């Protein structure tokens, strides 16, 4: 596929057919995705390919606590899991919130599930002393995550970035034998889409790009 076509037609895929994702195809996806940049080219990403159904079921269960808060905050009119304000719903309300199937089913039905980790000892977290949630560390892992999804699209497969299980990171580490110095960055269900979208809706460039300053003129 043309690069721009891939970029414009790579959606978040959460519904998969029963078609398998062969190891050969998955290796080709990863073989191309590995050329993503990372800080200092230290390449601190590690990926666990999970096919075992029992392990997937446990990963799906580990999604649920974070999903409950996510859904409860949306119902309360909040942006879920935002780092600027505490949840409006009480812990009891969050705990009583139902978990929609869409948050667990992809992990159970995809051709394979990739758990992407990053070595905290080799990434440059230059925002670690700021009084906010750190985001800079992601620069050394999420380019590869997105490369995986682009490569999957090129192969006729698809997937999505899920992060709900990361809220239960110690349990995920224990489940998969991940060392303590690694952070769980994403869980990617990858498989054959039930429906391949070819037109995505996104904000126009002028809506989020400005000249010279944050409050500058729209870039057009």
């Amino acid at each position: 596929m043309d690069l721009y076509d891939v970029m414009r037609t790579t959606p978040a895929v959460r519904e998969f057919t029963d078609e398998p994702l062969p190891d050969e195809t998955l290796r080709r996806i990863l073989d191309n995705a590995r050329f993503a940049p990372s800080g200092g080219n230290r390449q601190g990403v590690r990926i666990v390919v999970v096919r075992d159904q029992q392990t997937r079921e446990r990963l799906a269960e580990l999604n649920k606590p974070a999903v409950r808060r996510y859904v409860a905050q949306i119902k309360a009119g909040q942006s879920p899991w935002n780092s600027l304000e505490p949840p409006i719903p009480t812990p009891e309300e969050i705990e009583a919130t139902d978990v929609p199937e869409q948050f667990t089913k992809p992990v159970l039905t995809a051709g394979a599930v990739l758990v992407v980790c990053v070595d905290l000892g080799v990434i440059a977290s230059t925002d670690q002393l700021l009084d906010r949630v750190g985001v800079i560390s992601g620069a050394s892992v999420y380019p590869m995550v997105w490369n995986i999804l682009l490569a999957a699209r090129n192969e006729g497969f698809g997937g999505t970035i899920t992060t709900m299980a990361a809220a239960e990171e110690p349990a995920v580490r224990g489940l998969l034998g991940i060392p303590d110095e690694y952070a769980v960055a994403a869980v990617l269900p990858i498989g054959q889409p039930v429906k391949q979208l070819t037109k995505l809706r996104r904000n126009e460039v002028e809506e989020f790009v400005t000249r010279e300053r944050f409050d500058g003129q729209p870039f057009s």
Side-chain angles (χ1 to χ4, degrees):
M1 293 181 66
D2 175 80
L3 174 60
Y4 284 167
D5 286 342
V6 173
M7 293 170 65
R8 285 174 171 266
T9 63
T10 299
V13 177
R14 297 181 177 88
E15 293 185 274
F16 305 102
T17 70
D18 293 333
E19 182 175 332
L21 173 57
D23 278 352
E24 179 183 359
T25 303
L26 180 55
R27 191 185 190 288
R28 190 161 56 246
I29 289 170
L30 296 170
D31 189 38
N32 286 282
R34 67 190 172 95
F35 287 95
S38 61
N41 197 31
R42 285 182 282 272
Q43 302 177 62
V45 174
R46 288 288 300 269
I47 299 173
V48 181
V49 178
V50 178
R51 293 191 186 272
D52 179 75
Q53 195 63 26
Q54 188 173 2
T55 304
R56 293 177 186 223
E57 290 172 1
R58 180 57 181 149
L59 281 173
E61 285 296 314
L62 290 173
N63 279 344
K64 291 183 177 180
V67 172
R68 289 190 179 97
R69 172 173 161 176
Y70 186 97
V71 174
Q73 285 188 273
I74 288 178
K75 289 181 177 179
Q78 273 189 305
S79 180
W81 281 94
N82 81 82
S83 57
L84 298 181
E85 57 185 7
I88 292 174
T90 66
E92 293 76 20
E93 290 171 332
I94 291 173
E95 182 61 29
T97 300
D98 291 332
V99 175
E101 186 181 58
Q102 69 191 64
F103 288 96
T104 57
K105 188 176 180 180
V107 173
L108 301 174
T109 59
V113 176
L114 311 185
V115 180
V116 184
C117 310
V118 63
D119 186 347
L120 296 174
V122 303
I123 57 178
S125 303
T126 56
D127 60 350
Q128 62 183 264
L129 300 181
L130 299 180
D131 187 21
R132 63 161 174 75
V133 170
V135 298
I136 299 302
S137 304
S140 287
V141 57
Y142 293 117
M144 179 177 283
V145 170
W146 187 237
N147 264 9
I148 290 171
L149 294 178
L150 293 177
R153 172 71 181 99
N154 190 59
E155 293 284 346
F157 288 84
T160 189
I161 301 172
T162 76
T163 56
M164 296 299 173
E168 302 296 317
E169 185 176 88
V172 177
R173 285 199 191 115
L175 178 66
L176 301 178
I178 300 168
D180 289 346
E181 63 267 23
Y182 281 80
V184 176
V187 176
L188 305 182
I190 305 289
Q192 176 70 48
V194 169
K195 181 179 181 181
Q196 182 61 68
L197 299 180
T198 57
K199 187 175 182 179
L200 308 179
R201 291 183 296 174
R202 298 291 186 267
N203 291 338
E204 297 293 336
V205 171
E206 294 80 5
E207 296 181 63
F208 66 96
V209 183
T210 55
R211 294 184 183 275
E212 309 301 340
R213 290 173 49 87
F214 192 92
D215 58 355
Q217 293 296 312
F219 185 88
S220 61

